[in-house]
Amino acid sequence: MISKPDQREHGRARWLVESIALVILALALALVFRATVASAFEIPTPSMSPTIMVHDRVIAERISVHFSDPKPGDIVVFDDPLGGPVPLIKRVIAVSGQTVDVHDGSVWVNGARLNEPYTHGLPTEVGSLPLPCAIPNGRIWVMGDNRTNSLDSRYFGPVDVATVQARAVALYWPVSRLADLTDGD
């Protein structure tokens, strides 16, 4: 028979092992959730301001990108086409089969001028790529909302849909700027 002090030591040891196992399980679940369901991203540049400001944090879901391609208006997180280590976040402007052009300070898709309230009247300048640009299959055209300060498809061209990691769904930090990012404006 185990004495009372030995029972207490056995109970403490068991509690410690169970607590460590619970912490490991919680960390594993968090990592799986982050890799497959949703992730938080901190915004490194002003290219999406004022919609999303530098150091704002957004939640981006990873599931829908496996079942459907992004659509115009979506804000997506994707691998930097220029090979940088930090993923980029931009708004989808056009998709496969559409043609993008920039003139008169505005973006035109398939000959129609886009209504872009999220640019807050900032003009869209032509980048370094020749326009108009027909978007090939499996690609999307992305642009930052801050058109005067955004390295986007005007410079690196259409983005491969396979490099899209997630769709931004909400701005959650700072709390004073909580916002739904799925409404397209």
Side-chain angles (χ1 to χ4, degrees), residues 4-148:
K4 290 239 185 234
D6 288 343
Q7 283 179 338
R8 274 188 243 138
E9 285 300 317
H10 178 71
R12 286 183 188 142
R14 181 178 174 160
W15 174 85
L16 182 60
V17 168
E18 288 175 354
S19 296
I20 291 171
L22 186 59
V23 168
I24 291 170
L25 177 63
L27 287 173
L29 288 173
L31 290 173
V32 168
F33 183 85
R34 182 176 180 190
T36 61
V37 178
S39 291
F41 292 92
E42 181 177 351
I43 307 309
T45 70
S47 70
M48 286 297 292
S49 67
T51 307
I52 308 170
M53 305 297 282
V54 175
H55 302 301
D56 281 359
R57 288 172 178 75
V58 300
I59 294 289
E61 61 84 16
R62 295 180 178 274
I63 296 174
S64 68
V65 297
H66 298 293
F67 301 106
S68 65
D69 287 344
K71 62 186 186 317
D74 286 349
I75 297 175
V76 295
V77 177
F78 57 97
D79 298 337
D80 183 344
L82 302 176
V86 177
L88 303 180
I89 185 165
K90 307 283 184 201
R91 187 179 301 272
V92 177
I93 299 301
V95 296
S96 299
Q98 295 183 315
T99 300
V100 175
D101 201 357
V102 174
H103 55 83
D104 301 327
S106 297
V107 177
W108 300 71
V109 175
N110 292 342
R113 182 176 182 234
L114 292 186
N115 177 26
E116 299 184 289
Y118 42 80
T119 65
H120 298 272
L122 291 175
T124 300
E125 301 163 355
V126 176
S128 59
L129 294 180
L131 294 173
C133 177
I135 312 304
N137 285 334
R139 302 231 170 218
I140 55 176
W141 186 271
V142 295
M143 296 175 82
D145 291 357
N146 182 358
R147 298 295 165 76
T148 59

